[in-house]
Amino acid sequence: MERRQRGVSAGLLLLLYQISQVGLQNIPAVTLGVLVLNIFLFLNPLRPLSEVCLSVNEAVHRKNWQRLLLAPFHHADDWHLYYNMISMLWKGIMLERKLKSIWFAYIIAVFSVLIGVVYMVLELLLVVILDDPSFEMNCGVGFSGVLFALKVLNNHYNPGRVSNVFGLPISSKYACWVELVAIHLISPGTSFAGHLSGILVGLMYTMGPLKKIMQACAAGISFFTEPDRPRDYYSEYYGYYPDYQYRTPRSYFDYTDFGGGTRSYGQRPYGFWFPPENSEEDMRRRRLRRFDR
């Protein structure tokens, strides 16, 4: 097992600081477990990135199917980990309160594997359509595909919101698509197919058969149910932790982090660097508008 020997990791330290600001007691169990698992595997990777990243060549041709399980939970560097886990922290708190821990854990497990499968299908389609076998070598790591899927769920369960995508107000219904395109214009080294896979799996759950299939597979297990009663995320969330919004920077909340994909093992996947934070006055006005809705 390879341990990280990179000195002080600024991204990791900042992530731990943000988690401490939220408070461990305020983070639901499954969300906290995902954070801990990703941090642990960053510090103690099971294998080098070249042996855990997911590609058609490795998973299909060489039958290394374990990469479906390993790739989502390994990250290229500390900033890749930071942005993914900050996004997971926000989305996890919101969705786990809504869906309950058992079902949320079920979603994370299914999405992590299924997104990898859809990713490889998309890469194979690109090989056929573009007649370019190099797409079979695209090898990606990181949790960002799952985060895109969770963003679709978050927007589904909380319709009518307006998301801030790079300073532009976008209806939450279209925000993930705008982000998908914008990210790859700004940072072309990221995995377009991996992020698109997350959106497609999220839509398969909210609009397609995936949710019913998961419910059928879980039938007969009494505690394995997904609540459908609508709730107001924000009134429930802020009511439960009344001082939370003052302790956690708002600018991280709408962010979906983006992992990397690369066409060779020699080039490390790019992480996406989030734009500078907005001013405190802008954040205060957005919070007030949210409560006025």
Side-chain angles (χ1 to χ4, degrees), residues 142-158:
F143 206 67
S144 53
V146 179
L147 294 172
F148 264 95
L150 295 182
K151 188 175 186 68
V152 173
L153 266 64
N154 196 25
N155 292 338
H156 170 75
Y157 286 114
N158 188 46

Side-chain angles (χ1 to χ4, degrees), residues 148-175:
F148 264 95
L150 295 182
K151 188 175 186 68
V152 173
L153 266 64
N154 196 25
N155 292 338
H156 170 75
Y157 286 114
N158 188 46
R161 291 180 58 220
V162 175
S163 296
N164 189 321
V165 182
F166 303 110
L168 298 175
I170 304 294
S171 170
S172 59
K173 184 178 181 180
Y174 306 108

Side-chain angles (χ1 to χ4, degrees), residues 41-282:
L41 290 178
F42 175 76
L43 294 173
N44 302 276
L46 296 179
R47 298 174 187 176
L49 287 180
S50 62
E51 297 179 15
V52 298
C53 65
L54 183 64
S55 69
V56 173
N57 181 62
E58 291 295 336
V60 178
H61 299 322
R62 297 188 179 183
K63 310 299 182 184
N64 292 325
W65 295 108
Q66 72 274 12
R67 291 180 183 237
L68 284 168
L69 302 175
L70 298 177
F73 301 100
H74 286 77
H75 290 82
D77 54 38
D78 56 327
W79 290 109
H80 187 196
L81 174 76
Y82 169 74
Y83 287 120
N84 270 340
M85 292 301 102
I86 284 295
S87 182
M88 177 60 199
L89 177 62
W90 168 244
K91 292 176 177 64
I93 289 174
M94 303 301 288
L95 285 171
E96 190 170 346
R97 298 293 178 194
K98 163 68 181 178
L99 301 174
K100 305 305 181 185
S101 294
I102 295 296
W103 190 264
F104 187 62
Y106 188 25
I107 284 177
I108 294 294
V110 172
F111 282 15
S112 297
V113 175
L114 185 56
I115 287 168
V117 174
V118 174
Y119 165 73
M120 290 189 292
V121 170
L122 291 178
E123 294 285 9
L124 284 172
L125 287 175
L126 289 173
V127 170
V128 174
I129 294 172
L130 301 178
D131 193 24
D132 184 355
S134 67
F135 285 101
E136 294 184 350
M137 305 299 294
N138 284 353
C139 211
V141 294
F143 206 67
S144 53
V146 179
L147 294 172
F148 264 95
L150 295 182
K151 188 175 186 68
V152 173
L153 266 64
N154 196 25
N155 292 338
H156 170 75
Y157 286 114
N158 188 46
R161 291 180 58 220
V162 175
S163 296
N164 189 321
V165 182
F166 303 110
L168 298 175
I170 304 294
S171 170
S172 59
K173 184 178 181 180
Y174 306 108
C176 58
W177 296 105
V178 175
E179 287 182 4
L180 176 68
V181 174
I183 285 304
H184 295 282
L185 292 176
I186 295 173
S187 184
T190 55
S191 175
F192 184 89
H195 301 161
L196 178 59
S197 299
I199 294 176
L200 293 178
V201 169
L203 292 175
M204 287 167 60
Y205 183 91
T206 58
M207 301 176 64
L210 180 57
K211 178 179 175 180
K212 291 183 179 179
I213 293 173
M214 290 174 62
Q215 288 173 331
C217 291
I221 306 178
S222 60
F223 60 84
F224 222 163
T225 57
E226 186 240 9
D228 287 318
R229 180 170 62 88
R231 292 182 181 178
D232 183 339
Y233 270 160
Y234 298 97
S235 62
E236 175 186 333
Y237 179 68
Y238 288 121
Y240 197 78
Y241 309 122
D243 65 335
Y244 177 80
Q245 67 270 36
Y246 301 108
R247 297 189 289 111
T248 304
R250 171 65 180 85
S251 58
Y252 296 116
F253 286 0
D254 288 334
Y255 176 63
T256 301
D257 183 57
F258 311 99
T262 175
R263 295 206 173 196
S264 68
Y265 293 141
Q267 179 185 0
R268 189 172 63 190
Y270 291 92
F272 180 75
W273 293 81
F274 193 54
E277 295 182 25
N278 296 321
S279 68
E280 292 185 11
E281 181 62 22
D282 288 338

